[in-house]
Amino acid sequence: MAATIHDVAKLAGVHYSTVSRVQNGKAKITQETKEKIYSAMKQLDYHPNSVARNLANGLSGAIGVVVDAKDAEAFSNVFFSRSLFAIERAAQLRGYNVIIANGGSHSGNAVESLVLQKKVDGLILPPSTAKPALIQKIGDFPLVILGQPDTGRLCASWVDNNNEQGAELAVEHLYLKGYEKIAYLGGDRKLGFVERRIKGYLNALRKDAPGIIVTCESVPEQACLAGMSMLSSKDAPDAILCNDNMAALGVIQAARKLNIPIPQQLGIVTFDNYPLAEFTDPALTAIDIDTSLLGEQTANLLFQRIERKTTNQQILLSAVLLQRDSSDRK
Amino acid sequence: MAATIHDVAKLAGVHYSTVSRVQNGKAKITQETKEKIYSAMKQLDYHPNSVARNLANGLSGAIGVVVDAKDAEAFSNVFFSRSLFAIERAAQLRGYNVIIANGGSHSGNAVESLVLQKKVDGLILPPSTAKPALIQKIGDFPLVILGQPDTGRLCASWVDNNNEQGAELAVEHLYLKGYEKIAYLGGDRKLGFVERRIKGYLNALRKDAPGIIVTCESVPEQACLAGMSMLSSKDAPDAILCNDNMAALGVIQAARKLNIPIPQQLGIVTFDNYPLAEFTDPALTAIDIDTSLLGEQTANLLFQRIERKTTNQQILLSAVLLQRDSSDRK
DNA sequence: TATGACCATGCAAGCGGTTGCCTAAACGAA
DNA sequence: TTCGTTTAGGCAACCGCTTGCATGGTCATA
C-alpha cells in the first residue's frame, strides 16, 4: 500500500496537517521540521493522492478537450491533433491533466457529464459542440472554444486562426505572381470558417474582378469534376484558391487531364498544410497556421478563466503563406 | 452550488447512505423509497461527484494514454490518433475517462506521476516508453503496450498488428501480380517493427531469391536517392516493398526520374495507409491495419486487467492488403 | 517579572461519497 | 399471540487531504 500523509507524519513525528502545509508551501515551517518531513517523504516514497487532494479543495485538476467526431478521421485531423499536442504541453506545465472526450453525435452529453460530475475544471470545445443551449446550461463554467463559433452573438472565449486574412494573403500572393483571374474552389458555405475564407477572398479581389466561387464535397473526385468544368469554361480562371488539400488534389488532377501546366498556366494555393500538401506534384503553396500557438493560447486562456475569473476574450491568429511550386511562376 | 447526496437524502426524507445504495444499484430498496429518491434527484438535478466517489473506493476512473512525442507530429501520426479514437470510445463505454500524457524525452516521469498520484487506474504505453526499468518500478500496475515491445522478454500485455504477416502478404501479392525481383526499402532496422517487417519479407521470398534491403531516413528525398541507386543498378528489382508512405513517395519520384513506368515495369506496395497513400499518382497499394480494432482490443485488455486481475496477454492483429494502382499490372 | 505580539504546530471539521454493521419493522409459522 | 427470520434502511467510520481556529512556546518590551 502506498504511503499516505499520515504515515509521513508519524515517521517525522509531527501532525499530518504540518505535512500538508509543507507540501503546499504556504505556511511558515521551521527548517528543522521541514527536513524531518522531507526525509520521511523520501524514505516512504510518498506521493500525494491527487484524488483526495482534489476532493478537499473542490477541483479536479484536469481540463477536458472535446472532439466532435463520428469516425476516427476527426482525431487524425492534423489541425486537431497538433493543437491537442500544444494543449497537452501547456497543461502539463501548469499541472493539469488533459482528458479527451469524444461526443460524436451527442457530444452534449459527454460535456455535461464531464462538468456536472466534476471531472474537469474547464473545457475546450469545438464550435460544433459549443451551441448556445449548452453554454447556457453549464453557466459560467470556464470554457474556451477552439475555433470561431458560427453563432455570432455567443458569449464565450475563443481562439481561431484568421481565415479571412489567410484568404487575403493567398489572393495577394497570386496577384503578385502575375495571376489575374482567381477562383475559389471547395468547401461548404454552411460552415462558418468557409464563409469567412470566401469573405477574405472577395475582399482581396481587384475592384472590377468577378468572384468565381464553386463549392463541392471535400474529396478529390468532386473537386476534380468541379475543377474541370471551371477550367474548361470560356472564362476560365488562371489561379484557384482551394478550400482544403482534397480540393487542391482534385484541381491538380483536373489540370493534368486538361493538359494545363501548373504553375505556368494555372496557379494553385490551398488552405491547410497537411503533410500531403508538401508531397503532391507540384508541391502545394499553402496557407498555414501555427497550430502549436493556437493550442497554447487556447489552453492559457482557459487557465486564466479557471484560476482568476477573467472576462471572455477572443483571439485571432494570423495565417502565413508557405510558398511552394504550385504558384511559383517565374 | 451543485446538489450533493445529502441534499437528495434530505429532500427524499431518507438517510444519505440509502441514496448511495440506490445509485449503485446493489442493495434491495423498496420501490417506494427508490421513487422518492429518484424524484428528489431529478428535482435537484443531482449528479454524483466523481472525485468523492473515486476517493471512497480508491479508484480514479481514468486510464492514461501515454505518447512519446518530441513534436506535434507524433500526435498527428495516423496510427496513434486512430487508435486513440478507438480507445476513447471503448473507455467511454465502460465509464472511464481518457487522460493523455505526453512524456516527450522524459515520459518516464509523466508515467510515474500518473500512477503514483493515483490519477489513473491503468496505462496504455508505446513500446518506446515501456522500458523494463519502468515496468518494474510500477510493479503490477495494470498496463498494456500499444505495439510489440522491442525487448523480447518483457512481462506485459501488448497488442500489435502483425508486421511479419503484413510483409508476407505484400510479397505474395507482388509475386501473384507477376513481379519477380522484390526489394525492401526504407525504415531503420534498430526499430523492432521494421526488423519484423523485414523478417516477413525474407520469409516470403522464393527460396532462391536474394533479399535486397536498403534502409534510409523516412523522408521522400532520402528514399528517392536510395530508390534511384537501387533501380539503376545492374540487377534492379521490378518491385519494391516500402517501409512507409514517405519511402513510397520517394520511390515514385525515383521511378519518374528514371522513366520507369509504374506499375508496368515497377510494382510498389507500401506499409501504412495514410490518407496520402490513396492520392499519390499512381495510388499506392498499401498494407493496412485495423487501427480501430487495435485500439479497442488494447483498451479492453486494459479493462480486463483493471477489473479482474487477469494474466498478461499478447494479441497480434492481421494486416490486410489494399490493392491500388501501384501494383496493379494487368 | 509581567504583558502582549508573534509564530510554529496541533486539532478537528469538512470535501462527498461507500460500505460493514446494526436495528426495528414486517412477516410467516406454530 | 408469540417467537424467529428476514430485510429495508439508519448509523458511523473511513478514503486522504485542506484549512480555519486554538494553543502553547518564544521573544521583546515595559
Side-chain angles (χ1 to χ4, degrees), chain A residues 14-15 17-18 21 28-30 33 56:
Chain A
V14 298
H15 195 262
S17 60
T18 307
R21 291 199 170 93
K28 293 168 209 143
I29 308 283
T30 332
T33 312

Side-chain angles (χ1 to χ4, degrees), chain B residues 85 206 226 286:
Chain B
F85 175 80
R206 288 192 184 132

Side-chain angles (χ1 to χ4, degrees), chain B residues 15 17-18 21 28-30 33 56:
Chain B
H15 194 263
S17 61
T18 308
R21 291 199 170 94
K28 292 172 211 143
I29 307 284
T30 332
T33 311

Side-chain angles (χ1 to χ4, degrees), chain B residues 98-112:
Chain B
V98 176
I99 288 182
I100 59 160
N102 178 25
S105 48
H106 41 260
S107 54
N109 298 342
V111 174
E112 284 181 29

Side-chain angles (χ1 to χ4, degrees), chain B residues 300-317:
Chain B
N300 286 339
L301 210 53
L302 183 59
F303 296 137
Q304 277 181 34
R305 286 271 289 137
I306 293 175
E307 286 162 16
R308 354 174 262 284
K309 297 284 182 187
T310 57
T311 58
N312 284 321
Q313 294 176 52
Q314 289 82 35
I315 299 180
L316 271 182
L317 301 179

